[in-house]
Amino acid sequence: MLRINRLLIPGVDKKLLVHDAAKLMPDVSRRRFLAGGASLGALTLLTGCDVVDGASAETLLAKVSKFNDAVQAAIFNPNTLAPTFSEKDITRPFPFNAYYSLDEAPTIDGGDWKLEVSGLVQNKKSWTLQELTQLPEVSQITRHVCVEGWSAIGQWSGVRLRDFLDLIGADTKANYVWFRCADDYTSPIDMPTALHPQTQMTFKFGGDVLPRAYGYPMKIRIPTKLGFKNPKYVVSMEVTNDYKGGYWEDQGYNSFSGL
Ligand SMILES: Nc1nc2c(c(=O)[nH]1)N[C@H]1C(S)=C(S)[C@@H](COP(=O)(O)O)O[C@H]1N2
Ligand SMILES: [Mo]
């Protein structure tokens, strides 16, 4: 309570401040923030802002923007499932997307490929494709949403990331699982999302071996996140407390980017 009182900035209309802060939030977070009452107190708790020493409303708003990921993470219910669809809903052909054209996509030899495991895990052994595809398989038909303005429904099969993290003795209290890809693409996934039941280490698309276009031999499928948080051609995963950035994250996209 004390904290909230300290936040009151003389001469600033509280309602306007909350309104401006809400405007800085991505759509879904904003809707949930507004539905949750959108109070200055909620904003304080979500952002952890402590605007005492003569800070202005602008400072608070800058902090809101910076803490956007924390705001989203606080609003995101880690147990909410993404909608699933039926086979007839699958988008054909499914779009290819990357920061380059398809002919430049990595060509990986699945026989040589290994998934490197590092960081806060008990077992740092590398995994072959054969070993990984022997683990219990799950399947999903879900929607992929790209910030560039398209979405498509596909079917992905593979191993629950959560099960794999258990298997390697990952510290699931760590902040992130950070993925690196053969095309130097990177992306950090917050731990609650890594542990989400629909987050998948994907080896198949539409029931067949994952095509080169969609990330052969392995992509991470996360139906609760925007498309760019679904790394393809993954070569390593690191369990870490450090925020290591990512290809789009470093260009200003919010790392959380939940749907
Ligand atoms: N390695 C790698 N993964 C990536 C990308 C990329 O450029 N390289 N692009 C991302 C973006 S922005 C999208 S929308 C999806 C596209 O996946 P798709 O080709 O299966 O449709 O991959 C994501 N994962
Ligand atoms: Mo995307």
Side-chain angles (χ1 to χ4, degrees), residues 25-248:
M25 298 177 185
D27 276 1
V28 176
S29 305
R30 180 172 55 246
R31 268 186 265 127
R32 291 185 193 166
F33 176 67
L34 297 175
S39 65
L40 192 55
L43 191 61
T44 315
L45 295 172
L46 289 171
T47 58
C49 285
D50 188 11
V51 193
V52 270
D53 34 33
S56 64
E58 281 71 31
T59 309
L60 178 61
L61 293 179
K63 285 192 178 184
V64 171
S65 182
K66 191 166 159 224
F67 279 93
N68 209 325
D69 288 332
V71 172
Q72 290 202 52
I75 292 169
F76 177 75
N77 175 349
N79 303 311
T80 302
L81 294 178
T84 56
F85 300 86
S86 63
E87 225 152 292
K88 68 169 176 18
D89 303 318
I90 292 173
T91 307
R92 301 174 212 272
F94 193 87
F96 160 83
N97 196 36
Y99 65 89
Y100 44 72
S101 61
L102 179 53
D103 51 299
E104 290 168 88
T107 306
I108 294 174
D109 178 345
D112 286 352
W113 177 89
K114 277 190 176 165
L115 174 69
E116 222 177 83
V117 169
S118 65
L120 305 170
V121 299
Q122 271 155 29
N123 188 349
K124 292 188 175 131
K125 142 194 164 55
S126 294
W127 291 70
T128 65
L129 187 53
Q130 215 210 339
E131 289 169 324
L132 288 171
T133 51
Q134 274 163 18
L135 299 173
E137 187 183 88
V138 289
S139 193
Q140 61 176 271
I141 300 177
T142 49
R143 188 191 297 277
H144 171 114
V145 181
C146 175
V147 272
E148 288 166 84
W150 57 272
S151 83
I153 292 170
Q155 178 178 23
W156 292 272
S157 313
V159 177
R160 257 197 199 104
L161 179 58
R162 176 186 204 126
D163 293 347
F164 185 71
L165 291 171
D166 279 348
L167 195 62
I168 62 176
D171 176 1
T172 54
K173 291 193 182 71
N175 293 335
Y176 304 99
V177 182
W178 189 62
F179 293 97
R180 272 197 310 111
C181 307
D183 55 2
D184 290 331
Y185 193 86
T186 49
S187 194
I189 304 301
D190 58 282
M191 188 59 78
T193 298
L195 298 174
H196 187 281
Q198 288 171 310
T199 296
Q200 188 189 89
M201 300 164 79
T202 300
F203 305 103
K204 286 184 188 165
F205 184 77
D208 297 319
V209 172
L210 189 65
R212 172 168 165 252
Y214 309 136
Y216 182 81
M218 185 181 101
K219 74 172 269 171
I220 303 297
R221 173 66 192 137
I222 309 182
T224 54
K225 294 284 196 200
L226 284 171
F228 82 89
K229 304 290 298 182
N230 288 239
K232 309 193 286 184
Y233 321 104
V234 171
V235 293
S236 89
M237 86 167 60
E238 178 176 344
V239 176
T240 175
N241 279 318
D242 305 326
Y243 179 75
K244 303 207 168 188
Y247 183 85
W248 288 112

